[in-house]
DNA sequence: ACTCTTGTTTAGTATTGCTGATGAATTAAA
DNA sequence: TTTAATTCATCAGCAATACTAAACAAGAGT
């Protein structure tokens, strides 16, 4: 009875059911599972035969859940969550000594990757695999032990822990501080190209050039002109190349500021924003000792840079 | 990540794994799943390929769980419990108006079945399916909404509720109360066949003829002679046929005592025993309104007979 | 050493699952 | 209203998976 000897529903059909129920679409479910819609249709029908009752109301265009489906779905979901987690645990011995992190691309390149050597030095026998993923689709996460995300830290069924705050400030190549158009005060920006970082677009607290200039009562500089980039690292690299002045994320720029490849022309230019960097992982996930060690190390590094950097 | 898009382990292989892990035997797992041991072996190997690590330590004779298996097993179990329950819920609409009860055979025949007409009369549109099962294997339970078990009411992962106490007392055909060997006192039993019920064998509190006679200081009657039956109902029917005097379970004999087909020759003959009848069902199980109604009715009936019967 | 039990392996077979084409039903646009 | 697009259903054929049967290997018990 509690025993799986029970006439269990066909397991693979349950996968199709779960996907179709989540998406409310056979086509999308098919897409997700990399099969044709026909396959989904057949699997669902098989499950309906088992149930003895329909699970979806077919309304021509889209598809709705019946009560039976509605009622059983949460349990099916929980079951798959556990199976997924069980799978990871089984694989744990094979993954020993390996920490896999999915990370926002710019942060991975400019903050995390440069520090990895240090981690490897202090944690012998543990290697870190970094995967720079944009969308942070479930898929990208699938193989990672945890992710580092840029955002507000509130995620659906996930646990998260603040890693680092982010601030925004103007940066440019040191070359721009010299010569006839040397940047001394905000007004001097009128002679230079403004580089725009649109990667923080959905953060209302993140200033763009227009609002930054406005806050400093600089009226005669058009804050809208200049090229736009959808990745923080692109703005940084453009600025470092001397292309212009970027309103850049501190965490991403920090290494280049420290090395002198970039400079911050204004003393009071930086603004703390709402978004930050977060360690994120699924709620029920078992974190191995190696993973915990890596997390601890990252947090320590973050605490360091937070003091030194700003 | 929480998403089943994760590279899930092969689901059918998980079933084999769960069974093999529970039994610590591929052969028994094969038996349970109605396949050959070879099939189990292959499924396990497939899962080990997925895990990248062995799940069993093969020690020639038997098999042991590795750490990876040990660690993931609880989650796999929980997953299957949920899947099993989800399956039932899916089937609920198809089962509407039907309550399936698995019941100890004698109790089913002599106590439950005769009262079912009354239930059907008062609960229109709900039909009860009774399955009389001995072993109460998980398999028998598989399709039942709940079971009625005879025992002490303590079951592994199951919930239970006391239905009825049981008492044991001598009964016989009314014919034996007449004639030259009429039974008036315990001593008179010497002239009659003693019928033995061995169905309560593993209940130490349940008296047999020897202990019953001993308690009444009847020394010259051999309590060991006479036929033995492994089912309460067989003893009752033998007694009703005039074969002899049975030390019978009250609940099973009650209807025949009420109708006069059986009589209790001694006023003080009955002994309350530890075992009783219990409603039992799996912990996480969702009980439908129909099932709840049936349970309520059975308990009411039990409360009735408890008063009238003893 | 012999036997019994249990897991493994392999080739062949059965079952299950998927595709790709076609059809029907519904919605949205022309 | 027609037309086009989208979505699910169905079916025959093919592919992948799961299972069997039989022969093998390796303890454990006699």
């Amino acid at each position: 009875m509690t025993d799986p000897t029970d006439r269990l529903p066909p397991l693979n059909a349950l996968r199709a059911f779960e996907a179709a129920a989540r998406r409310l679409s056979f086509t999308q479910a098919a897409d997700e599972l990399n099969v044709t819609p026909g396959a989904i249709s057949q699997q669902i029908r098989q499950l309906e035969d088992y149930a003895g009752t329909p699970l979806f109301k077919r309304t021509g265009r889209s598809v709705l859940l019946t009560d039976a489906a509605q009622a059983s779905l949460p349990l099916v979901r929980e079951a798959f969550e556990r199976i997924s987690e069980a799978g990871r645990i089984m694989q744990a011995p094979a993954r020993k000594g390996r920490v896999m992190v999915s990370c926002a691309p710019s942060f991975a390149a400019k903050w995390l990757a440069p520090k990895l050597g240090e981690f490897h030095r202090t944690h012998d026998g543990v290697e870190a695999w970094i995967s720079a993923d944009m969308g942070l689709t479930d898929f990208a996460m699938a193989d990672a032990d945890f992710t580092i995300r840029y955002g507000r830290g509130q995620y659906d069924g996930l646990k998260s822990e603040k890693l680092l705050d982010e601030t925004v400030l103007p940066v440019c190549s040191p070359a721009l501080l010299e010569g006839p158009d040397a940047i001394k005060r905000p007004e001097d920006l009128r002679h230079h190209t403004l580089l725009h970082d649109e990667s923080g677009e959905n953060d209302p607290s993140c200033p763009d050039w227009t609002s930054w200039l406005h806050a400093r009562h600089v009226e005669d500089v058009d804050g809208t002109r200049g090229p736009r980039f959808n990745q923080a690292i692109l703005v940084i690299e453009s600025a470092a190349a001397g292309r212009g002045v970027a309103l850049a994320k501190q965490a991403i720029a920090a290494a280049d500021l420290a090395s002198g490849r970039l400079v911050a022309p204004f003393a009071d230019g930086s603004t703390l924003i709402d978004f930050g960097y977060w360690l994120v992982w699924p709620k029920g996930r078992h974190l191995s000792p190696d993973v915990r060690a890596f997390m601890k190390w990252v947090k320590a590094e973050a605490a360091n840079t937070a003091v030194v950097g700003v």
Side-chain angles (χ1 to χ4, degrees), chain A residues 2-130:
Chain A
T2 280
D3 180 317
T5 256
D6 290 14
R7 301 219 182 307
L8 288 180
L11 299 178
N12 293 314
L14 278 183
R15 279 191 80 189
F17 167 63
E18 195 282 335
R22 180 154 34 79
R23 298 260 158 94
L24 287 179
S25 154
F26 287 15
T27 309
Q28 288 179 45
D31 221 53
E32 176 178 317
L33 301 178
N34 297 311
V35 295
T36 56
I40 299 290
S41 180
Q42 290 176 74
Q43 292 283 33
I44 298 288
R45 188 157 52 77
Q46 190 191 336
L47 194 57
E48 289 177 324
D49 285 350
Y50 162 86
T53 186
L55 296 169
F56 292 91
K57 287 171 211 147
R58 280 81 162 171
T59 69
R61 187 67 151 209
S62 84
V63 64
L64 297 174
L65 294 176
T66 62
D67 290 346
Q70 202 81 256
S72 57
L73 185 58
L75 284 163
V76 174
R77 267 199 223 301
E78 288 178 24
F80 278 120
E81 279 169 20
R82 278 163 178 76
I83 286 175
S84 170
E85 188 56 20
R88 294 186 69 81
I89 292 178
M90 275 181 199
Q91 293 172 329
R95 290 167 154 254
K96 180 129 181 71
R98 186 185 315 162
V99 177
M100 301 177 79
V101 186
S102 169
C103 186
S106 298
F107 190 76
K110 283 292 183 182
W111 191 97
L112 184 57
K115 301 186 202 301
L116 276 181
E118 173 60 18
F119 173 79
H120 193 239
R121 213 166 299 119
T122 53
H123 295 75
D124 201 35
V126 181
E127 53 183 344
W129 292 19
I130 307 300

